[in-house]
Amino acid sequence: MPPLPGDLSPEERAPVEAALATHLFHSFAARTHPLLVRQLLADLAPGQAVLDPFCGSGTVPLEVLLRGGRAVGCDVNELAVRLARFKATALPQAMQRALLAKAQAVGAASLERVHKRKRPRKTWDDPVHYAPHIYLELCGLREELEQVVASDAPLGEALLLILSSLIIKLSTQRAESRPGELAAGRHLGKGLPTRWFVRKAEEVCRLHAALLHRLPSPPPPAPLLAVADARVALSTDPRERQATLGLWPGSLDRVITSPPYLGTYDYAAHHARRYAWLGIDP
């Protein structure tokens, strides 16, 4: 399996985005390689159901969707499930246009805040993890997003996840899998968080356009994903099982998963910077 691409040249970007679509959105440490899952699903018949009880950021559900199957999954990590839903639910073209327009409007308002040195009325996360000017800009940007969340929940959720994808690079943390290490020599100028945010929204719209283009016809249903403990979701007690994912005996055709790397990764710590910005109780 080739490694997931890091920085791409303009010539490389178009074919890679066409092949991987929303797999490229948002870093997530130790995620399953999509091409491996693609091989494991090569003989999946349209309409068959596949469960991933440790779905993470949605690699398996997304690949099931592309094969025309019915994806079911769960994870104890709320951020993971929110990411998986967003990545494996294709946005119609009208929604893509609305998302980009709203991101640009939020970006313009945020840059105006920076220009006027307008301080936010509310703060998120601990400022010790950010350069002072970056922290204030992020809080202003998040304040603008608060209005979108209140007026249009689906667009607000998409924009929050776009912000989430940038948080680690905008903090003083070296990487999401190294929460205790500081990044060396990271100097970020004023306005950069906002410009990155708008560029990431443009990228997300391209990735969802690629996903929409690759879906089989007729398109399969959106994945059924829940924040749940796999021990409950797969319980032998039907009352517990149906209360989370609605599974019943004989309802699954396949289970594909990559279990957590116990003792190697603390997944909760990976996303410590993101919880406050997304309103997630750690």
Side-chain angles (χ1 to χ4, degrees):
M1 288 296 153
L4 284 173
D7 293 330
L8 298 171
S9 69
E11 294 77 18
E12 294 170 324
R13 179 162 291 281
V16 171
E17 288 184 356
L20 295 179
T22 49
H23 282 305
L24 296 172
F25 175 61
H26 206 296
S27 63
F28 203 90
R31 57 183 168 176
T32 312
H33 200 298
L35 299 184
L36 172 60
V37 179
R38 196 167 292 181
Q39 289 284 6
L40 294 173
L41 292 170
D43 61 342
L44 188 76
Q48 288 190 315
V50 180
L51 168 71
D52 183 350
F54 305 97
C55 72
S57 64
T59 300
V60 172
L62 178 50
E63 283 298 314
V64 173
L65 189 79
L66 291 172
R67 285 292 304 175
R70 294 186 298 113
V72 184
C74 64
D75 203 286
V76 292
N77 185 332
E78 180 185 335
L79 172 59
V81 174
R82 287 168 66 174
L83 265 174
R85 284 187 186 133
F86 180 64
K87 290 165 61 177
T89 304
L91 299 183
Q93 290 181 343
M95 182 76 167
Q96 295 171 30
R97 292 193 294 269
L99 175 60
L100 182 55
K102 189 63 71 173
Q104 290 170 337
V106 166
S110 176
L111 287 176
E112 185 176 0
R113 281 173 171 270
V114 173
H115 179 69
K116 293 183 176 180
R117 298 184 179 180
K118 181 179 179 181
R119 297 184 68 86
R121 296 187 300 272
K122 183 179 175 182
T123 58
W124 286 263
D125 202 11
D126 188 335
V128 72
H129 300 291
Y130 308 86
H133 66 287
I134 295 295
Y135 179 71
L136 290 176
E137 184 174 344
L138 278 173
C139 288
L141 181 59
R142 180 63 178 82
E143 199 168 277
E144 294 296 329
L145 292 181
E146 194 82 348
Q147 302 175 40
V148 182
V149 171
S151 62
D152 192 323
L155 279 183
E157 172 71 353
L159 293 173
L160 283 178
L161 292 174
I162 289 171
L163 178 65
S164 172
S165 72
L166 301 171
I167 288 298
I168 302 300
K169 287 185 178 180
L170 291 169
S171 74
T172 55
Q173 185 174 311
R174 181 175 176 182
E176 66 180 17
S177 58
R178 298 180 178 183
E181 296 183 29
L182 297 180
R186 185 180 289 174
H187 302 292
L188 306 172
K190 290 182 179 180
L192 189 62
T194 302
R195 290 193 292 273
W196 279 4
F197 174 79
V198 175
R199 285 207 298 267
K200 181 61 72 171
E202 295 169 350
E203 177 187 305
V204 163
C205 289
R206 291 198 312 270
L207 297 178
H208 269 278
L211 174 59
L212 201 61
H213 180 73
R214 291 198 57 213
L215 286 182
S217 182
L224 172 61
L225 302 170
V227 179
D229 186 325
R231 294 169 296 183
V232 175
L234 302 178
S235 169
T236 55
D237 184 337
R239 292 168 300 178
E240 285 189 345
R241 202 167 55 232
Q242 292 178 11
T244 54
L245 291 172
L247 301 177
W248 61 92
S251 63
L252 295 171
D253 298 287
R254 198 168 303 189
V255 177
I256 297 178
T257 194
S258 174
Y261 295 103
L262 297 176
T264 302
Y265 278 131
D266 180 354
Y267 291 90
H270 286 181
H271 307 291
R273 298 281 57 76
R274 296 175 172 131
Y275 293 136
W277 300 102
L278 294 178
I280 294 174
D281 183 348

